[in-house]
Amino acid sequence: MDSVTLLPSRLSAPILFADRQDTRNALDAFFRDFGFTTRADLERLASWVLSARGAGVSPDVALALARERVEAWLGELLGPSHASGKLLSRGRAAFVLVDAARLGADVLLREPRHLPEAWRRTFRDAVPVPVPHAAPSVMPEQVLVLNPLAELLRRWLRLGQPGVSTSP
Amino acid sequence: MQAHSFSPGSAGLRRAWVLGLAGASTLAAAVEMSRLLSAGGTTAPEWVVLALFTPCFAWISLSFWAAVAGFVQLASGRRVPGLRWPDAEREAAPLQSRTAVVMPIHNEDPAAVFAHVQATYESIEATGHLDAFDFYVLSDSTRAEAWVAEELAWSELCRRVGGQGRIFYRRRTDNTGKKAGNLTEFCERWGRRHDFLFVLDADSLMDGATVVRMARLMELNPGAGILQAPPLCVGRSTLFARLQQFAGRVYGPVVAAGAAAWQLGESNYWGHNAILRMSAFIEHCGLPVLPGQQPFGGHILSHDFVEAALMRRAGYTVWLLADMGGSYEQPPPNLLTYAQRDRRWCQGNLQHLSLVLAGGLHPMSRAHFLMGVMSYVASPLWLLFLVAGLVSAAHAWLTQPSRFGGVDAVLASGATFDSPAALRLMAVSLAMLWLPRLLGVARVFARSDVAANMGGRARLVLSVLIEGVLSTLLAPVMMLFQSHFVFGTILGYRVSWSSQQRDDADLPWAEAARRHAVHTAVGVGLAVLLWVFSPGLLAWAVPVVAGLLLSIPLSVFTARASLGLWAERHGLFLIPEEVAPPAVLARAQVLTEDGAATVEDAVDHVLSDARAHTLHLALLEEQPSSSGVAGALASGRRKLLASVPEPLSAQEKVAVLLDARTLAEARGRRLGQPS
């Protein structure tokens, strides 16, 4: 990843500061989890999120917008195979694992298709896929008659409990 | 897929030979023992001696004749009949099936676990058949530190080999059914995605060519339910472990070939380093829960034998591929960890007693249950045999008019006791114990390249002699351990299934003294008793008495890696896998030494390390909710989010790690962000 550099984005959003401190804090916390730490990056990312709604939004709305923005970005980068409710958490993990924040806010502000192909491949390879899609089936518990002779005798005399394996 | 109950036509004949010779030998020995004991009229203690001697002798006799069968099979240079093997053209063709390579783990060292997974993965990749395999690490780890370290090691492994989407990691929050339950849960969620299931243990290592070959054999033999590749013990440095590795390398092939030669398609499954037919396993091998309480009831502990029996009951065959190679595991590093493992296995095997008569099982499956039981019950039987012999001698001494001459006089008296015949019987018994070893040595001697890789013929002989002496000295200690386990199981002690120590740490003297104090005391008592009754008998019992008296230093010194490595430098107990390690072993060793990220405090690590934090949260979405730990979560949250955080208990750590909201909140606070 060291060799990857990004030219300043032509798609950068205009600087639009969140006018509410709580909204700003929420967005900063959100993007800090992606590894962004510099004031400039956090401001640009907040503006990117809020550019569609303008000022005065509540923290919850701002966070929902941020998630939407980032998920859209991740969805375009990773393709439909990763489209699920886990896109954000997996994408964020990949983002941190490849240390994408080192490239600055530009990495998120760009259309993913404009990012270098090698970087996109590295990112895709880093997305954690802990398990594949399930193919559910049932493994039926086998029944064993532990002592067939005693079982015959028990049935004949109609005594006691059956000597078979049972679920608790 | 149609199951069938194919067994080669020669199966009956082979079994008749082995079992017949074992039975005939036992009968002859029992008759001879009876004659010896009845020289002066058989007393009650002598009847007990005879009753104990017979099953003990039958056990060593069966082992002996099976080893002879193995030697003959190996000497013939042929494979056992019954399986269809691929020709060269078929070997080169792509696999048509998909195999899940699964490794269930439980609080293991993640560095070693993932090093072995990576080495196996790369080895399969080198065969060009990687596309036919998926890998699953199935964690049942309960320690928070192990859990987080596993996540990081898995992520790092995927990064190194580009394994996302092919190497999977799943942790269960509910450990129902332990290892067997772990596999069941896997099969029920992902089993249908695969044709075959390749089961590894936490210390298993497989050569890729072997894995591919076993998958191909499953494709070619649709009636085969399980193929077991006998694992070779490798990779440890302590003297105890190297003794086991050496013994396994020299004698193991004969023993394995013997089992394969007479058991054929009704062989056994050892729980790992084996491939199973997934559909048959899912449909026919769901383990029953036995009626009653532990130790004999409840969940089945040693699942492998039962799964093999169920597979066979369903009409699928189970094969031991004695000559497969490329299958490895690590031995326990010292006597105490060996005994700890034996304790688990002992209870598991004794539990099988209740299945011996179960309806519908193949007779060989019943035999496997009985052999498993006998491998542990033999110890208390030998112990009782020794005690009964002692009582019998004392009884004779007390009831003979010539008792002032001592037991020696009684035993040496030609009128009442046939000493030469007794010596002959003892010699035959010892020969049955030692001859399989000599057959193994003979095989190594026959191949100069193998002998050269074991230090040369002279050092090989020296190694065999020293190994023989040490194993003889350790045998009475294991006899007492196993007797304890058997009696403990019968009396209802439960076994905890903790993970075993797998590193080469030295054994402290205090720990050895605590564990072997009883053994030493028994040795002292036995020596005193024999000295009082008959110093002559003491000489015969020297191996037993010496082993017990020396149990503490033996345990400590054999646990030392420094001694094991010293022996290696001097060409003792060498195995070819140490001298010229196969690529997969060498790779695993390098990867293990590289190590994995250490996690001192799981919660702290997840909160302070961005990588661990985001990865953990991403993986947490695959975990079921933490409803079962509400109390621990509440107290964990309180401690964690307090202005001055308090240390969390193990349970609180797990509860907190299962709760994404708490983790996010705590991390926010740690970074100085408002929540």
Side-chain angles (χ1 to χ4, degrees):
Chain A
M1 293 306 303
D2 291 338
S3 61
V4 175
T5 52
L6 295 178
L7 295 171
S9 171
R10 285 170 294 171
L11 301 171
S12 301
I15 300 297
L16 180 67
F17 296 109
D19 58 351
R20 287 175 55 166
Q21 190 58 40
D22 52 355
T23 299
R24 180 59 188 272
N25 288 339
L27 287 175
D28 284 357
F30 179 81
F31 285 111
R32 278 203 175 99
D33 278 345
F34 284 77
F36 294 104
T37 52
T38 68
R39 178 59 34 207
D41 281 342
L42 292 169
E43 282 174 358
R44 292 184 71 199
L45 290 165
S47 301
W48 176 57
V49 168
L50 298 174
S51 59
R53 292 289 295 266
V57 297
S58 68
D60 289 344
V61 172
L63 281 177
L65 283 170
R67 285 194 197 99
E68 196 179 298
R69 281 268 185 173
V70 174
E71 279 183 343
W73 185 87
L74 288 169
E76 191 181 333
L77 178 61
L78 300 176
S81 62
H82 285 283
S84 72
K86 294 150 189 164
L87 181 62
L88 183 65
S89 63
R90 289 186 180 184
R92 182 175 56 195
F95 206 90
V96 173
L97 289 170
V98 302
D99 200 10
R102 256 198 319 168
L103 303 174
D106 266 342
V107 75
L108 273 180
L109 300 182
R110 282 179 173 228
E111 294 285 333
R113 64 175 176 273
H114 294 136
L115 293 164
E117 173 56 29
W119 188 88
R120 284 189 289 163
R121 198 178 316 118
T122 304
F123 189 94
R124 279 195 289 265
D125 289 345
V127 176
V129 185
V131 292
H133 293 301
S137 63
V138 175
M139 201 164 166
E141 181 183 313
Q142 301 299 305
V143 176
L144 283 171
V145 179
L146 300 183
N147 190 335
L149 288 176
E151 185 58 18
L152 271 179
L153 195 66
R154 186 197 68 77
R155 282 189 186 167
W156 187 51
L157 298 172
R158 296 173 185 171
L159 289 173
Q161 295 295 311
V164 298
S165 57
T166 52
S167 285
Chain B
M1 203 165 279
Q2 183 62 44
H4 69 91
S5 55
F6 173 77
S7 258
S10 63
L13 191 62
R14 285 164 176 261
R15 285 168 196 166
W17 269 109
V18 172
L19 295 175
L21 287 169
S25 308
T26 304
L27 185 65
V31 167
E32 180 66 358
M33 180 58 116
S34 171
R35 189 184 69 76
L36 288 170
L37 293 172
S38 63
T42 312
T43 62
E46 286 168 344
W47 279 115
V48 174
V49 168
L50 183 62
L52 292 166
F53 171 79
T54 306
C56 289
F57 192 90
W59 182 235
I60 61 170
S61 178
L62 178 60
S63 306
F64 169 76
W65 287 112
V68 171
F71 184 77
V72 171
Q73 182 72 50
L74 290 170
S76 75
R78 296 180 184 173
R79 293 198 177 104
V80 295
L83 274 180
R84 188 178 161 209
W85 288 77
D87 53 24
E89 187 185 349
R90 186 82 190 217
E91 289 270 22
L95 287 167
Q96 304 299 316
S97 54
R98 289 206 65 76
T99 299
V101 180
V102 302
M103 182 184 274
I105 59 172
H106 173 69
N107 294 333
E108 306 284 349
D109 169 22
V113 163
F114 286 91
H116 284 205
V117 173
Q118 182 174 344
T120 302
Y121 179 98
E122 290 175 348
S123 185
I124 294 175
E125 189 174 31
T127 68
H129 294 283
L130 185 63
D131 284 347
F133 296 90
D134 288 321
F135 291 73
Y136 295 80
V137 178
L138 305 175
S139 172
D140 255 357
S141 294
T142 48
R143 285 197 315 108
E145 281 68 29
W147 173 14
V148 172
E150 285 163 12
E151 290 179 341
L152 292 167
W154 168 75
S155 170
E156 181 59 18
L157 165 61
C158 289
R159 188 192 64 76
R160 283 200 298 255
V161 301
Q164 288 289 1
R166 192 181 299 283
I167 304 175
F168 302 108
Y169 169 80
R170 183 280 274 130
R171 177 181 174 271
R172 283 201 305 172
T173 46
D174 169 15
N175 301 134
T176 304
K178 302 197 167 62
K179 182 180 170 185
N182 195 355
L183 282 174
T184 299
E185 202 260 4
F186 164 79
C187 289
E188 291 190 332
R189 284 179 73 183
W190 300 291
R192 293 290 180 196
R193 293 171 59 95
H194 303 92
D195 301 295
F196 309 131
L197 172 69
F198 204 110
V199 183
L200 301 177
D201 214 356
D203 60 356
S204 292
L205 191 58
M206 293 296 304
D207 186 273
T210 300
V211 176
V212 170
R213 199 151 206 230
M214 289 172 76
R216 201 178 295 287
L217 279 172
M218 291 297 269
E219 287 183 354
L220 276 174
N221 296 275
I226 301 176
L227 303 179
Q228 171 72 57
L232 179 69
C233 285
V234 294
R236 293 258 70 104
S237 299
T238 65
L239 182 58
F240 183 84
R242 296 199 64 248
L243 287 167
Q244 287 179 84
Q245 290 168 186
F246 176 76
R249 189 62 173 80
V250 178
Y251 323 132
V254 174
V255 173
W262 72 280
Q263 294 169 9
L264 298 169
E266 284 80 31
S267 291
N268 211 348
Y269 165 45
W270 302 346
H272 56 91
N273 295 34
I275 190 167
L276 295 84
R277 189 168 300 280
M278 186 72 85
S279 57
F281 187 66
I282 289 176
E283 285 156 27
H284 304 291
C285 297
L287 288 177
V289 179
L290 300 179
Q293 298 296 312
Q294 274 198 26
F296 293 106
H299 285 284
I300 288 174
L301 299 175
S302 289
H303 56 95
D304 38 17
F305 283 31
V306 183
E307 286 160 351
L310 291 171
M311 188 68 92
R312 193 63 196 84
R313 183 175 78 158
Y316 292 89
T317 47
V318 180
W319 297 88
L320 178 63
L321 306 176
D323 55 353
M324 183 53 77
S327 168
Y328 308 100
E329 66 174 343
Q330 292 182 325
N334 59 53
L335 180 62
L336 291 182
T337 49
Y338 185 90
Q340 182 195 6
R341 187 185 71 176
D342 247 17
R343 177 169 190 150
R344 296 199 314 267
W345 288 1
C346 174
Q347 181 172 330
N349 282 21
L350 290 185
Q351 195 185 35
H352 294 161
L353 261 181
S354 56
L355 297 171
V356 171
L357 294 175
L361 299 185
H362 192 282
M364 278 302 297
S365 299
R366 301 181 200 283
H368 287 305
F369 288 144
L370 283 175
M371 287 189 285
V373 169
M374 195 58 192
S375 61
Y376 290 95
V377 169
S379 279
L381 287 181
W382 278 116
L383 180 64
L384 291 172
F385 174 72
L386 289 174
V387 171
L390 208 60
V391 171
S392 176
H395 181 266
W397 182 77
L398 290 168
T399 54
Q400 286 289 330
S402 58
R403 65 175 175 270
F404 296 108
V407 174
D408 294 336
V410 176
L411 295 179
S413 158
T416 57
F417 197 80
D418 186 353
S419 292
L423 283 173
R424 273 200 303 277
L425 189 56
M426 185 170 179
V428 168
S429 303
L430 287 175
M432 285 192 150
L433 287 170
W434 273 84
L435 214 58
R437 291 165 181 256
L438 296 182
L439 294 177
V441 175
R443 276 196 73 246
V444 176
F445 262 57
R447 289 191 53 187
S448 55
D449 56 332
V450 177
N453 277 341
M454 299 185 83
R457 291 192 170 99
R459 287 199 178 86
L460 179 63
V461 170
L462 188 59
S463 299
V464 168
L465 290 174
I466 298 173
E467 190 275 334
V469 169
L470 285 173
S471 63
T472 302
L473 289 172
L474 292 172
V477 183
M478 279 313 299
M479 179 180 71
L480 289 189
F481 264 133
Q482 290 180 336
S483 302
H484 177 151
F485 301 156
V486 170
F487 292 130
T489 302
I490 291 169
L491 292 173
Y493 299 152
R494 287 190 182 190
V495 168
S496 69
W497 285 69
S498 56
S499 58
Q500 67 188 60
Q501 179 199 333
R502 297 192 199 272
D503 59 24
D504 285 346
D506 281 359
L507 179 67
W509 281 95
E511 173 75 358
R514 194 167 66 81
R515 299 283 185 177
H516 294 294
V518 172
H519 305 150
T520 310
V522 170
V524 171
L526 189 61
V528 169
L529 215 58
L530 287 171
W531 180 259
V532 169
F533 277 114
S534 165
L537 269 186
L538 181 58
W540 286 93
V542 157
V544 175
V545 172
L548 295 174
L549 290 177
L550 295 173
S551 57
I552 295 172
L554 269 176
S555 198
V556 168
F557 286 121
T558 55
R560 293 205 171 155
S562 55
L563 281 178
L565 294 170
W566 179 88
E568 185 179 0
R569 283 195 299 276
H570 290 79
L572 294 172
F573 318 123
L574 279 180
I575 59 174
E577 286 72 17
E578 288 173 322
V579 176
V584 72
L585 284 183
R587 181 68 176 142
Q589 183 68 29
V590 168
L591 291 167
T592 304
E593 284 165 6
D594 282 353
T598 53
V599 175
E600 298 293 334
D601 182 304
V603 173
D604 184 63
H605 200 86
V606 165
L607 294 181
S608 58
D609 183 288
R611 203 169 137 261
H613 183 75
T614 53
L615 181 65
H616 182 78
L617 291 184
L619 269 55
L620 203 53
E621 293 192 334
E622 300 296 338
Q623 298 242 352
S625 65
S626 55
S627 55
V629 291
L633 177 60
S635 61
R637 272 183 65 84
R638 182 178 51 75
K639 290 180 181 176
L640 195 64
L641 302 175
S643 51
V644 182
E646 299 172 46
L648 272 60
S649 69
Q651 200 187 3
E652 288 165 345
K653 281 184 185 176
V654 171
V656 164
L657 287 172
L658 280 169
D659 192 69
R661 188 173 67 93
T662 302
L663 290 173
E665 200 173 332
R667 181 163 162 82
R669 289 197 182 190
R670 186 166 291 206
L671 296 180
Q673 299 162 351
S675 56

